[in-house]
Every structure is written in C-alpha cells, then in structure tokens.
C-alpha cells in the first residue's frame, strides 16, 4: 500500500537547448505529435513536455513544480495553472546554471517533506504506467530512491546503470564512451531522505569549492554519491520499454518520424 505522504512532480526546464537551437519556442514546448481535445474529438498539437506530465497524472500525481530559467516565459503561458492536464502546476526560478541538481535544489523549501517524482520534459518513454510501478516499488520496499530503468543503445548520452546478479543497482556510470551496460535511468521517485541528501550535497559543493563547483553536475553524480553513502536505492526494470531524448537534431527527427508512423497507423501514442 502506498504512503499517504504528498507526492509532488518535479520537472527541471532550465536548459538552453543549445544542441538544437535556434528554436521558435522553449524546447519543452516543441510539438511532437497530436492530442485529442475532449468533447469534439478534434486534434491539437501535443508538445513534448505534455508526455511527462501526462504520465505523472496517470499515476495520480496532481501537483508539480516546473523549474525555469529566465526567458522561458512561454512555458507558464502555455500550461498556466495546469488545467490542460487536470493538474496543479507552479513555477520556480533556477538559481545556479551548473547542472540539474542545482536547478532541482530550488524546489527544496517546497518539497522537503514530500515524496518527489522526477521527470525530464524533453524525454519521451514507454510504458505509460511507469510512474505507477515506480511508486508501488517505493511503497513496497521503503527505499529512499527508486529509479525507472530503460534499455538504450546510446550509452554515451546517458547515465548507464550497473546491476548485480540480483538486478540491484551497484553503480551509475555517467555517459561512458565504451561500456557493455544496456540500461539507463530516466525517471525517479525519492523520499525526503534523498531530497535532504541532494540539498546537502549541492550546498557542500558550493561552500567547499567556489570555482570548481561551476563544472556541470549531473543528477547521476549525486545518486552515485548517495549509493556510496548507503542511501537505500532500488529500481524497476522496464525491459520492454523505451526512451528517447529529443535534445539533438537526430533524436528530434526520430521522435517526429516515429510519431508520424504511429499517426498513420491510427495510434495516438509515441515510442
């Protein structure tokens, strides 16, 4: 049975999308496919970040913070208060531009007592019930962090996950050039214990090295440090799942192509 603790979605949207710039909008609002409008069954463009919010909503996550950098005002203009997805959305401003953990830490005062569901707004994945299964795993095990793992053939673009013979997480390897590992993590659920750990990790890094901390920090770096410090971690393995990051021109083209093929087959989904 799941905990009654508040579940809050956390979505970092502070990136500059430099690999696919220039764009006419924030990357998170780039249309990938179509959605059906209730009542008249009409179709409207479906932006890429709609997919992650939709999957959160399928897991009964009704509240989420989207963390922005200055200038990305089109995101709150588009989503507003969240009525489009039957969610309650709020927006926070990022502070330091040195990696996603710094961006996520902006939400610390608002989520420190909540169960957090992390999602990236430029990544599309299957299955649809991924958050349901990850939340159920957390409730079952009481782990401080549970990762959703997906197969990938692009390890140099992902945090690759090393598993032991019992499919328990042994280590994370950040964007390795050469590896035999086949699974990456794309979603996560964590408790206040890991929220505190990340907050202290980021705060300590800033205080101990006023220059060195400006090197980009990845969430995987913090998770790996947490593993080494015996934070309780578990995972859900989506062996038949898939994931796609639209952050490069090649992957954006693939997402558009895959969705077009599914549209032609009468399938609303993607990936």
């Amino acid at each position: 049975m799941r905990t009654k603790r508040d579940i809050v979605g956390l979505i970092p949207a502070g990136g500059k999308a430099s690999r696919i710039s220039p764009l006419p909008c924030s990357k998170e609002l780039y249309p990938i496919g179509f959605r059906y409008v209730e009542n008249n069954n009409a179709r409207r463009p479906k932006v890429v970040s709609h997919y992650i919010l939709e999957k959160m909503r399928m897991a009964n996550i009704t509240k989420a913070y989207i963390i922005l950098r200055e200038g990305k005002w089109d995101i709150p203009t588009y989503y507003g208060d969240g009525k489009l997805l039957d969610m309650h959305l709020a927006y926070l401003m990022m502070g330091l531009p040195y990696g996603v953990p710094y961006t996520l830490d902006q939400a610390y005062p608002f989520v420190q007592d909540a169960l957090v569901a992390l999602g990236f707004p430029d990544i599309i994945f299957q299955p649809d019930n991924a958050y349901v299964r990850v939340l159920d795993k957390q409730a079952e095990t009481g782990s401080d962090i549970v990762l959703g793992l997906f197969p990938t053939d692009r390890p140099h673009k992902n945090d690759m996950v090393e598993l032991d013979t019992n499919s328990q997480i042994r280590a994370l390897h950040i964007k390795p050039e050469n590896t035999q590992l086949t699974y990456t993590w794309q979603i996560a659920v964590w408790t206040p214990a890991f929220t505190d750990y990340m907050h202290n990790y980021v705060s300590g890094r800033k205080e101990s090295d006023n220059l060195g901390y400006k090197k980009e920090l990845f969430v995987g770096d913090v998770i790996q440090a947490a593993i080494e410090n015996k934070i309780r971690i578990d995972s859900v393995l989506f062996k038949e799942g898939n994931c796609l990051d639209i952050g490069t021109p090649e992957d954006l083209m693939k997402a558009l192509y895959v969705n077009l093929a599914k549209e032609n087959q009468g399938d609303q989904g993607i990936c």
Side-chain angles (χ1 to χ4, degrees):
M1 185 176 178
R2 284 193 201 171
T3 176
K4 293 184 179 180
R5 178 179 283 137
D6 215 10
I7 305 173
V8 179
L10 206 54
I11 299 173
K16 296 181 178 180
S18 57
R19 294 176 295 174
I20 54 173
S21 293
L23 289 173
C25 59
S26 292
K27 175 176 64 172
E28 295 80 6
L29 296 185
Y30 199 90
I32 304 289
F34 291 85
R35 60 183 175 87
Y36 282 94
V37 179
E38 291 184 7
N39 300 324
N40 61 8
N41 205 35
R43 294 199 298 179
R44 296 291 185 270
K46 187 173 183 178
V47 302
V48 65
S49 54
H50 190 120
Y51 291 93
I52 191 70
L53 288 166
E54 183 178 60
K55 287 179 172 59
M56 286 184 175
R57 187 64 185 85
M58 289 177 183
N60 292 320
I61 300 169
T62 59
K63 296 189 293 185
Y65 288 102
I66 300 176
I67 308 172
L68 311 170
R69 66 172 174 83
E70 186 175 0
K72 302 183 79 167
W73 314 127
D74 54 346
I75 295 176
T77 298
Y78 181 81
Y79 283 118
D81 62 2
K83 182 182 294 185
L84 176 63
L85 288 132
D86 189 29
M87 296 179 73
H88 301 288
L89 300 181
Y91 306 88
L92 298 170
M93 296 303 299
M94 63 180 286
L96 298 171
Y98 309 124
V100 175
Y102 294 100
T103 300
L104 296 176
D105 195 52
Q106 293 297 114
Y108 179 74
F110 305 95
V111 302
Q112 58 184 309
D113 297 320
L115 192 63
V116 169
L118 171 68
F120 296 97
D122 54 354
I123 295 175
I124 304 171
F125 62 83
Q126 287 289 342
D128 286 337
N129 68 344
Y131 278 110
V132 174
R133 292 167 62 182
V134 171
L135 283 165
D136 286 346
K137 185 74 168 184
Q138 195 284 322
E140 173 191 340
T141 63
S143 297
D144 295 314
I145 179 168
V146 179
L147 304 180
L149 308 185
F150 300 81
T152 182
D153 58 359
R154 301 184 180 190
H156 61 288
K157 293 184 177 181
N158 290 282
D159 297 351
M160 302 305 292
V161 180
E162 180 182 349
L163 301 171
D164 64 20
T165 55
N166 296 316
S167 295
Q168 296 297 307
I169 295 176
R170 179 178 291 167
L172 266 59
H173 302 267
I174 312 300
K175 300 181 179 180
E177 287 298 325
N178 297 290
T179 182
Q180 298 297 314
L181 301 175
T182 58
Y183 287 96
T184 181
W185 73 275
Q186 296 294 354
I187 63 174
V189 167
W190 63 66
T191 68
F194 184 75
T195 299
D196 284 338
Y197 184 88
M198 181 180 289
H199 176 68
N200 292 331
Y201 186 97
V202 169
S203 299
R205 199 165 185 254
K206 288 186 288 189
E207 292 174 3
S208 66
D209 190 350
N210 290 329
L211 294 177
Y213 82 92
K214 293 184 179 180
K215 180 180 177 181
E216 185 175 5
L217 180 69
F218 298 100
V219 179
D221 292 319
V222 184
I223 295 174
Q224 177 58 30
I227 292 171
E228 294 169 2
N229 281 277
K230 309 303 181 184
I231 289 285
R232 294 176 298 167
I233 187 168
D234 216 316
S235 65
V236 176
L237 196 62
F238 299 107
K239 293 183 179 180
E240 305 302 322
N242 53 64
C243 58
L244 182 62
D245 181 344
I246 70 153
T248 66
E250 309 82 61
D251 291 334
L252 176 57
M253 186 178 301
K254 181 179 178 181
L256 293 168
Y257 176 81
V258 168
N259 190 71
L260 178 61
K262 287 185 175 290
E263 288 284 335
N264 289 337
Q265 295 169 7
D267 188 338
Q268 297 179 44
I270 186 168
C271 293

